[in-house]
Amino acid sequence: MPQVAITLAEGRTPAQIRDLLHEVHAAVLRTTDTRPEYIRVVVHEVPRTHWATGDVTLTELTAATTADEEQS
């Protein structure tokens, strides 16, 4: 029974999440020998303030990028 866990920073629309679930399900179904009802796909959305890369949160990164663009 395949189980796929996806972790994303929050901010996608429900339609985007639904499309992602559909496409991942389709890929697993196409590439494994399993029944559709046995495929599990879970999306975990993480607040942008709780996700850091290089000790900078995604919120801080977005703010810095926006500030740089405004100065240009």
Side-chain angles (χ1 to χ4, degrees), residues 12-64:
R12 274 78 174 183
T13 66
Q16 289 173 313
I17 298 293
R18 184 64 187 101
D19 288 345
L20 176 62
L21 292 167
H22 172 75
E23 293 297 331
V24 170
H25 182 271
V28 173
L29 183 61
R30 190 174 54 249
T31 57
T32 62
D33 184 25
T34 192
R35 295 171 51 171
E37 62 269 22
Y38 293 158
I39 299 170
R40 306 289 190 261
V41 182
V42 178
V43 174
H44 302 274
E45 286 190 284
V46 178
R48 298 179 69 78
T49 55
H50 295 173
W51 189 311
T53 300
D55 198 33
V56 178
T57 68
L58 295 181
T59 299
E60 294 165 341
L61 184 61
T62 300

